[in-house]
Amino acid sequence: MELKEYLRQRLEELVKLKAESLEERPVADYIISWAREKGFEVVEDNAGKIAGSNAGNVIVRRPPRGKDKWVMLCAHMDSVKLSGDVEYVFEGDVMKSTGKTILSADDRAGIAAIMYIFENADKLGIDVGLEGVFTIAEEIGLIGAKNLTEKLNSKVGFVLDSEADPGSIDVVAPYHDKFEAVFKGKASHAGVAPEEGKSAIVSAARAIAAVEWGRIDEETTCNVGTISGGEADNIVAPSCKVTGEARSRDEKKLMELMNRIENAFKSQECEVEWRHEREYDGYNHYGCELESVFKEAAQAVGVEFKWVPTGGGSDTNVFNARGVKTFNVGIAMKKPHTNEEYIDLSELAKSTEFLIEILKRI
Ligand SMILES: [Zn+2]
């Protein structure tokens, strides 16, 4: 079947499956029965049990043909929250949500493209082994990729989960930390004995005011996300919780920024219980030796190869940190996570062809 028509049929089936994060079972079953029907080895790992999902990550394999090399192809099975059944219309090749909820082309479009590549790999002259990794719970913190329990054969991989145009690959992504600070004050009657209390809210406010937030520089950002605390207007607030995040493409800058925030928070009158953790590691592919392969592949399908910097995280970050050199490939999905989500199937087909040309050369 012609590529674009294949993608259309698959996507129409895939977007009808309801699979919000931690409820990926319908998509997992769809992929597993497809893989069995086509004769590919398929396993489901234990990430679902660890993460509390009704499905694990699904790994599908098609062994190498003559070449001793495996390449991972990854897409996530979950979608963000739906506000109803997915409904779409076609305007030419553009498949778009009718506006009631998301389309969930993010990331079913990636799944459809990977299925096509698996089914047609022999015919297309792809000699490397293909390792399809379909993850759970990407949208709520890359949970499936972080908890992958299956050992992978691949040292290099491609994630199909970028909004960028055909021929584009994310080149650099930030390191991302999050923090939670609980200010411990002392309750007291606000009218009768305010001097006996210590306001956690006032300490939190001073701490927040002491930090510069927003864009710190071209590659570094931070944000106070939530604040909650206090009990009543007539009580000096005994507790106040502040949460937020910081990101930078430069790990050292991120560590310095987190230290600044921590110091500011710890220099207030109230004591603070401070916790911060790495959400995911960043990566940087500038100077990568595969650049010439990507350029040739783009030329072969008539698109321009572009490295694009990104400020977001994806499963790509997790696999790179695990030692699989992984690239997030543009599949031209537009306005993901909104009710205006759409995808042009001729663009998705171009992106798929670009990846096929890479796989033939890698
Ligand atoms: Zn996605």
Side-chain angles (χ1 to χ4, degrees):
M1 195 190 301
E2 192 233 341
L3 169 59
K4 196 166 73 186
E5 184 52 30
Y6 180 98
L7 294 171
R8 174 204 271 262
Q9 287 186 17
R10 279 288 173 211
L11 254 182
E12 285 195 78
E13 289 181 7
L14 278 161
V15 301
K16 282 183 190 130
L17 304 174
K18 192 167 184 260
E20 294 173 352
S21 304
L22 303 179
E23 290 170 15
E24 294 88 354
R25 191 78 257 157
V27 175
D29 284 343
Y30 181 88
I31 294 171
I32 290 168
S33 60
W34 161 79
R36 290 201 177 125
E37 189 193 309
K38 301 290 175 189
F40 298 119
E41 180 202 323
V42 57
V43 289
E44 183 175 337
D45 81 352
N46 292 320
K49 290 185 190 84
I50 300 166
S53 169
N54 60 9
N57 298 307
V58 176
I59 297 94
V60 181
R61 291 191 177 93
R62 175 255 191 198
R65 306 278 192 259
K67 232 182 203 176
D68 185 23
K69 185 172 190 177
W70 287 85
V71 177
M72 175 185 73
L73 300 176
C74 170
H76 63 88
M77 298 190 286
D78 62 318
S79 77
V80 292
K81 283 257 177 252
L82 297 158
S83 49
D85 290 335
V86 169
E87 279 177 29
Y88 56 85
V89 286
F90 277 99
E91 284 169 13
D93 284 337
V94 178
M95 184 183 191
K96 66 187 266 200
S97 161
T98 57
K100 287 186 183 149
T101 188
I102 55 157
L103 177 63
S104 71
D106 174 12
D107 195 17
R108 310 293 158 79
I111 297 176
I114 294 173
M115 286 176 145
Y116 178 86
I117 294 172
F118 264 79
E119 277 184 49
N120 295 280
D122 292 344
K123 205 169 67 194
L124 292 164
I126 295 172
D127 296 329
V128 290
L130 299 176
E131 203 161 41
V133 177
F134 302 95
T135 56
I136 59 168
E138 191 270 352
E139 298 287 7
I140 54 168
L142 322 176
I143 306 282
K146 283 179 186 170
N147 291 290
L148 186 82
T149 58
E150 177 75 2
K151 194 176 171 335
L152 298 182
N153 300 326
S154 308
K155 298 276 179 288
V156 60
F158 297 89
V159 172
L160 289 78
D161 191 22
S162 159
E163 294 162 51
D165 292 329
S168 295
I169 294 180
D170 291 352
V171 64
V172 55
Y175 293 79
H176 181 170
D177 284 357
K178 54 183 186 179
F179 68 84
E180 180 186 289
V182 180
F183 290 87
K184 299 278 177 199
K186 189 164 174 266
S188 180
H189 193 291
V192 178
E195 45 284 292
E196 283 172 25
K198 261 196 236 172
S199 172
I201 291 178
V202 171
S203 278
R206 288 190 176 130
I208 292 167
V211 176
E212 187 193 345
W213 301 96
R215 179 164 299 286
I216 305 301
D217 64 30
E218 192 217 351
E219 56 183 3
T220 312
T221 59
C222 62
N223 183 49
V224 193
T226 71
I227 179 163
S228 56
E231 286 175 1
D233 291 348
N234 61 355
I235 302 174
V236 176
S239 172
C240 183
K241 184 161 101 177
V242 180
T243 66
E245 61 148 62
R247 307 178 193 217
S248 180
R249 292 187 199 131
D250 183 330
E251 190 176 14
K252 209 169 139 239
K253 282 186 188 170
L254 178 60
M255 283 156 66
E256 284 164 6
L257 174 58
M258 288 303 285
N259 279 339
R260 282 208 299 282
I261 300 173
E262 182 176 351
N263 289 337
F265 277 47
K266 285 185 172 166
S267 317
Q268 306 307 322
E269 191 195 1
C270 290
E271 248 178 66
V272 68
E273 248 171 43
W274 170 264
R275 263 200 302 276
H276 81 265
E277 61 181 51
R278 180 60 46 90
E279 180 72 359
Y280 48 76
D281 284 324
Y283 60 83
N284 187 339
H285 290 316
Y286 279 117
C288 165
E289 72 281 3
L290 287 172
E291 187 174 302
S292 57
V293 170
F294 298 158
K295 278 186 178 155
E296 271 178 41
Q299 210 168 24
V301 294
V303 296
E304 198 193 332
F305 168 66
K306 270 194 211 126
W307 285 124
V308 284
T310 173
S314 70
D315 286 344
T316 319
N317 295 62
V318 178
F319 289 112
N320 274 305
R322 283 180 161 225
V324 183
K325 198 174 179 66
T326 306
F327 302 89
N328 196 10
V329 180
I331 54 169
M333 49 190 192
K334 301 298 174 197
K335 299 196 176 180
H337 304 192
T338 77
N339 294 357
E340 289 87 53
E341 186 181 0
Y342 68 93
I343 190 158
D344 184 333
L345 293 183
S346 53
E347 300 259 282
L348 177 60
K350 268 274 174 251
S351 300
T352 311
E353 285 172 1
F354 172 55
L355 186 53
I356 288 167
E357 292 303 321
I358 293 172
L359 293 169
K360 281 156 69 174
R361 288 168 170 80
I362 206 165

